[in-house]
Amino acid sequence: MKYLLMCLVVCFTYLYGCGNDSTTNSGGPPNGETVILSLDSLSITLSTIFGIIDSNFVINNAPNIKITFNCSTNADSVNSFALYRISAADSNTIYKDTTNDVISSLNHAQTIIINASNVYILKFYLQVNGNSTYFLRLRNLRVTIV
């Protein structure tokens, strides 16, 4: 009798615990932003004296975006040089053209806001110069509509 009562309690607990399958978090991202591009990292490691990498992304129907990432480098501005440049432009207008080549501000979280047209090209450009193994990394890169 004791085991039967225990079995009934367990069965009722399982049945009571089953509810509807509605989504409880349907409000979207907590900050109201829509992610349109997410990269784990965009980086360059110097294997010669001079290295460049660039990436182009076409942005459609996103006139106001925010770009966030963590930047890190081991360039020291004495023996090496590192920079990133982000530009947003269409055939008529340059909406944003930013260059960060100050070593002391590269090793921080970065945020860039761009107000542009509905269709434009977003370009990421990384450069490292030096005579040893240096790197420049943009980690947790997110482009969101704001």
Side-chain angles (χ1 to χ4, degrees):
M1 184 70 177
K2 183 175 165 182
Y3 293 111
L4 179 62
L5 183 60
M6 183 65 116
C7 183
L8 287 174
V9 168
V10 170
C11 288
F12 283 124
T13 303
Y14 280 126
L15 288 176
Y16 182 74
C18 294
N20 61 12
D21 290 335
S22 63
T23 305
T24 58
N25 187 12
S26 61
N31 54 5
E33 298 175 341
T34 302
V35 177
I36 58 174
L37 175 67
S38 178
L39 296 173
D40 180 47
S41 69
L42 182 62
S43 65
I44 184 170
T45 300
L46 190 64
S47 58
T48 62
I49 293 177
F50 182 72
I52 297 175
I53 187 172
D54 65 347
S55 298
N56 297 326
F57 302 98
V58 177
I59 305 296
N60 291 315
N61 298 324
N64 302 314
I65 63 170
K66 178 172 71 170
I67 304 167
T68 58
F69 56 91
N70 294 317
C71 184
S72 62
T73 184
N74 65 345
D76 59 9
S77 77
V78 174
N79 299 314
S80 59
F81 176 74
L83 71 88
Y84 74 79
R85 177 180 176 195
I86 297 175
S87 65
D90 62 15
S91 60
N92 298 324
T93 308
I94 297 173
Y95 299 106
K96 186 70 122 178
D97 192 356
T98 178
T99 300
N100 187 343
D101 59 357
V102 180
I103 299 298
S104 62
S105 66
L106 283 175
N107 289 309
H108 296 288
Q110 311 284 321
T111 300
I112 297 169
I113 306 286
I114 297 175
N115 298 312
S117 65
N118 279 336
V119 179
Y120 55 96
I121 295 175
L122 181 63
K123 184 178 215 180
F124 292 88
Y125 174 88
L126 307 177
Q127 178 180 339
V128 179
N129 301 351
N131 56 5
S132 185
T133 304
Y134 294 102
F135 66 86
L136 176 64
R137 289 188 186 103
L138 309 183
R139 292 190 178 171
N140 301 321
L141 182 71
R142 290 172 50 97
V143 178
T144 55
I145 299 173
V146 291

